[in-house]
Amino acid sequence: MTRMPNHRCSILWMLVTYIAVSSSAIAEDKTFQLIAPGSALPRVVSGDRPLEQDAARDFCHYLSKISGQKITVSDKAENARVVIHIGRDTFVDRHVPKIATIRADGYVIRCIEHGDNMHLVLAGKVDRAAQWAVERFLGQHCGVRWLFPDRVHGEVVPERKTITLDRDLQVLVEPDFINRANCGMYFFGPPHKLLRLAPYGDGQYGNHAIQHIFSTKQFQDHPEWFALVGGKRQWWSYGNGWQICTTHPGTVERAVQYADEFFRAHPDAPVISMGQNDGNGWCECERCKKLINSVTPPYSLSERWFHWVNRVAREVNKKHKGKWVEAMAYANTSSPTRFQLEPNVAVTKTFVLDSEFKQAEQWKTVCRSVNLYSYMYGGSFLGFRHYPHAAQQFLKWGHDKLGALSHITECGGDWTFDGP
Ligand SMILES: [Zn+2]
């Protein structure tokens, strides 16, 4: 197993294989021209899924600009010197069977010689992977760079009349981090659906989910599910500043029902969030007090909360084996529990203070996966916010030491100072 020479990407993307075989013993040319003046243009075909079609259009836009030739998406692959497959189609499924089992939104970049034609495949199992493959190909083989969101000044698109590739080019990229959310610095591609260079968050890690699980209807039907604070059941339509009664069995049943509906609607989703709301508002009812005082020292807020998460996770696991239940170790639930979390519970740990690195490692002793939530916009300092090596070390530590599958960063900032 080797890694791509591009170290900036090596944390997020584990390169499983990279084979570019060249035989010096045989004088045979192991390369071919993807595009060259005077040669027939390559034919670009797309998978059926809308994100694959977007990726194909994006690819054609850049290849046209690079080569100075007009390249468009075609609906036929026949009789072409070179066929470029963006996304999954019949040819890709037949000749790259690995595509069906690629991890998450990983992808292949692969040349295949078939009959008299060369084929270049840029595709993954899931639809958005085609866009990631297109961007990596354009970056590594054509020199395109995206710096900030501006089509005139924010990108570098070199002019290359001829693009030559190894006939045996074969790259498989699989992400270590299956969730890579960037909150605040949004550099969209033209269809405004995906961000450039593969940030991707599915909203289920580090999310204040309680406000969706327990909403208007639940408050009307079951006010007793909501936290008793100052003698009153608490609920606001705005989702923060209140919690649920974590010892009412009805809240567990409701959360399990919600998870069941979620996984039926999203069978490929690896995780569901059970994150608490921002702020306080924890229940003061007699049953909650009894639980808190059932141990010495009394349960912390964190323990009260994860006691409930464990109960939900045990039930979710009965119907949805292999799916994660995610909850946040955040603010007043930051400190680790004295008890083990269920094997299907992952926590998303927020990092604000230095002491929280140690806290995250302590969490790992009670649960299988500790995911990362960072605030890369920083605070209390003025300066350029460009620290790729520190960010790389942080992500590698999360992956190696904490079993992290997700990194969310709040990084809203200024493109001029904070850069790509
Ligand atoms: Zn209560």
Side-chain angles (χ1 to χ4, degrees), residues 104-181:
D105 52 357
Y107 53 84
V108 295
I109 296 176
R110 184 168 168 188
C111 292
I112 297 169
E113 200 160 357
H114 182 70
D116 296 332
N117 308 330
M118 285 306 299
H119 296 255
L120 169 63
V121 174
L122 305 175
K125 178 182 165 191
V126 302
D127 50 4
R128 63 182 178 277
Q131 181 67 38
W132 312 151
V134 161
E135 289 174 1
R136 179 167 283 214
F137 180 84
L138 290 172
Q140 298 205 326
H141 294 276
C142 307
V144 176
R145 293 188 68 201
W146 290 277
L147 304 176
F148 55 90
D150 185 280
R151 273 231 155 158
V152 178
H153 305 290
E155 59 186 30
V156 178
V157 185
E159 192 179 291
R160 290 188 187 170
K161 300 285 182 206
T162 301
I163 297 169
T164 303
L165 297 178
D166 276 330
R167 286 172 180 269
D168 298 320
L169 175 66
Q170 193 172 148
V171 178
L172 168 65
V173 178
E174 296 188 299
D176 289 331
F177 283 78
I178 61 175
N179 191 75
R180 310 170 297 272

Side-chain angles (χ1 to χ4, degrees), residues 29 31-43 63 67-71 79-83 118 160-164 167:
D29 185 6
T31 65
F32 74 101
Q33 290 177 332
L34 186 75
I35 193 161
S39 293
L41 290 176
R43 194 162 295 169
L63 197 59
S67 65
Q69 305 213 55
K70 175 89 180 144
I71 296 156
N79 305 320
R81 181 182 66 85
V82 176
V83 184
M118 285 306 299
R160 290 188 187 170
K161 300 285 182 206
T162 301
I163 297 169
T164 303
R167 286 172 180 269

Side-chain angles (χ1 to χ4, degrees), residues 177 357 360-365 367-372 393-404:
F177 283 78
F357 290 97
E361 292 185 354
Q362 288 165 346
W363 268 110
K364 185 62 170 65
T365 66
C367 82
R368 285 175 54 214
S369 174
V370 180
N371 295 299
L372 312 175
Q393 283 169 15
F394 175 63
L395 294 172
K396 184 157 176 30
W397 167 77
H399 173 262
D400 294 350
K401 284 272 170 52
L402 306 180

Side-chain angles (χ1 to χ4, degrees), residues 233 245-247 283 285 287-288:
R233 296 288 168 184
C245 174
T246 54
T247 57
C283 190
C285 82
R287 196 178 40 239
C288 282

Side-chain angles (χ1 to χ4, degrees), residues 187-398:
F187 185 171
F188 282 98
H192 222 74
K193 293 179 194 158
L194 296 172
L195 297 175
R196 283 273 181 230
L197 303 175
Y200 180 80
D202 67 5
Q204 294 303 316
Y205 291 89
N207 164 332
H208 301 293
I210 289 303
Q211 59 195 271
H212 307 297
I213 303 171
F214 299 93
S215 190
T216 320
K217 183 178 186 318
Q218 285 72 37
F219 190 64
Q220 281 165 357
D221 295 349
H222 295 283
E224 73 279 11
W225 289 355
F226 294 75
L228 186 74
V229 179
K232 278 179 69 181
R233 296 288 168 184
Q234 300 292 319
W235 183 78
W236 283 264
S237 56
Y238 172 62
N240 291 320
W242 60 268
Q243 310 295 344
I244 53 169
C245 174
T246 54
T247 57
H248 195 296
T251 59
V252 175
E253 286 163 23
R254 165 64 190 150
V256 171
Q257 176 205 17
Y258 182 89
D260 199 31
E261 287 164 6
F262 175 82
F263 285 126
R264 280 178 205 280
H266 306 95
D268 294 329
V271 59
I272 184 166
S273 175
M274 290 287 158
Q276 84 267 25
N277 286 329
D278 236 339
N280 285 311
W282 297 90
C283 190
E284 299 167 353
C285 82
E286 287 306 315
R287 196 178 40 239
C288 282
K289 283 185 192 159
K290 199 173 159 196
L291 175 76
I292 294 164
N293 294 312
S294 64
V295 290
T296 308
Y299 277 140
S300 64
L301 270 177
S302 193
E303 288 171 324
R304 289 168 62 182
W305 174 244
F306 280 96
H307 189 271
W308 181 84
V309 172
N310 262 355
R311 289 177 67 191
V312 173
R314 271 197 292 278
E315 293 303 314
V316 169
N317 191 49
K318 288 178 186 169
K319 276 194 183 169
H320 304 285
K321 297 261 182 252
K323 303 291 190 185
W324 291 101
V325 171
E326 176 86 13
M328 287 183 286
Y330 159 62
N332 43 28
T333 62
S334 265
S335 58
T337 56
R338 76 190 79 179
F339 49 81
Q340 290 288 315
L341 302 190
E342 290 292 317
N344 58 331
V345 173
V347 303
T348 288
K349 177 78 191 82
T350 52
F351 294 87
V352 177
L353 307 171
D354 283 354
S355 58
E356 290 181 283
F357 290 97
K358 179 100 172 110
Q359 212 171 42
E361 292 185 354
Q362 288 165 346
W363 268 110
K364 185 62 170 65
T365 66
V366 297
C367 82
R368 285 175 54 214
S369 174
V370 180
N371 295 299
L372 312 175
Y373 196 112
S374 67
Y375 301 87
M376 288 195 173
Y377 48 63
S380 308
F381 65 90
L382 176 65
F384 289 97
R385 217 179 43 183
H386 186 65
Y387 38 80
H389 297 295
Q392 182 193 43
Q393 283 169 15
F394 175 63
L395 294 172
K396 184 157 176 30
W397 167 77

Side-chain angles (χ1 to χ4, degrees), residues 51-127:
L51 288 181
E52 294 175 326
Q53 292 169 357
D54 288 346
R57 281 189 287 272
D58 200 38
F59 181 81
C60 289
H61 165 80
Y62 284 102
L63 197 59
S64 299
K65 213 167 161 186
I66 293 161
S67 65
Q69 305 213 55
K70 175 89 180 144
I71 296 156
T72 54
V73 183
S74 172
D75 41 10
K76 284 197 302 251
E78 288 82 31
N79 305 320
R81 181 182 66 85
V82 176
V83 184
I84 304 173
H85 302 259
I86 311 289
R88 291 175 72 170
D89 57 22
T90 317
F91 178 91
V92 173
D93 282 353
R94 186 178 307 140
H95 295 276
V96 191
K98 169 68 187 169
I99 206 110
T101 57
I102 291 178
R103 175 180 163 86
D105 52 357
Y107 53 84
V108 295
I109 296 176
R110 184 168 168 188
C111 292
I112 297 169
E113 200 160 357
H114 182 70
D116 296 332
N117 308 330
M118 285 306 299
H119 296 255
L120 169 63
V121 174
L122 305 175
K125 178 182 165 191
V126 302
D127 50 4

